[in-house]
Structure formats: structure tokens, C-alpha cells
Amino acid sequence: MPIVVDIDVMLARRKMSVGELADRVGITPANLAVLKNGRAKAVRFSTLAALCEVLTCQPGDLLRWEAEGAEGEMDTDDAAGAGRTVGAPGE
């Protein structure tokens, strides 16, 4: 997929763990891992806003576009969790 998620970059810059971010955003660590590892097909704007608030960043700091066929691209249709929408519980 040409959209790349750079949550790990922001986590490193903020010296924050995945567990802490998940807790502060209000999603499970498993759902955050699906998003962080590029296996999610969608993300709710409310979740994106919460990520940006906690990480004090802009959506463009977390998401970027890469041309199809870019080096290192993974076929996410076969990945576990493909097709999942990541969001806060109860949304």
C-alpha cells in the first residue's frame, strides 16, 4: 500500500512506548500495532486526532505517501489484520 505509517518514528522521538501511547490514546496495544506495522486498511479521524494530540504532531508526521512499487513495500492484503479499521473502542 502506498500509505506508510511512521508512528514508530514519533514514538522514538517522544521516548514513548507502544503500551503508553495505546493507553493514552484509548486503543488496545494490539490495534496500535496493526496500525504501526502498516496492516490497517483505515484509521478513524478521531483516532488520528488522538494520536496527534498525545504525540504533539501533525497527521503528516504520522502518515506519508510512497509511489506504488517503492522499495521495501509489503503486500498488506495477506498480512494478519488486513482490512481492519483501527479506532478507539466503542466508536
Side-chain angles (χ1 to χ4, degrees):
M1 178 180 300
I3 301 297
V4 178
V5 181
D6 287 328
I7 290 176
D8 51 347
V9 173
M10 292 306 296
L11 283 171
R13 288 182 182 167
R14 303 297 186 255
K15 296 181 173 68
M16 188 181 298
S17 70
V18 171
E20 180 183 353
L21 179 61
D23 189 47
R24 292 178 62 183
V25 170
I27 62 176
T28 66
N31 279 342
L32 182 57
V34 166
L35 180 60
K36 184 175 94 60
N37 295 323
R39 296 188 315 253
K41 290 288 186 178
V43 62
R44 289 187 175 101
F45 280 168
S46 58
T47 302
L48 184 58
L51 287 166
C52 289
E53 182 177 352
V54 170
L55 294 169
T56 58
C57 67
Q58 294 295 313
D61 296 327
L62 301 176
L63 304 173
R64 63 185 161 88
W65 177 83
E66 282 188 359
E68 289 286 339
E71 195 172 315
E73 182 178 347
M74 180 178 102
D75 183 5
T76 57
D77 290 339
D78 295 331
R84 293 179 62 184
T85 300
V86 176
E91 289 187 6

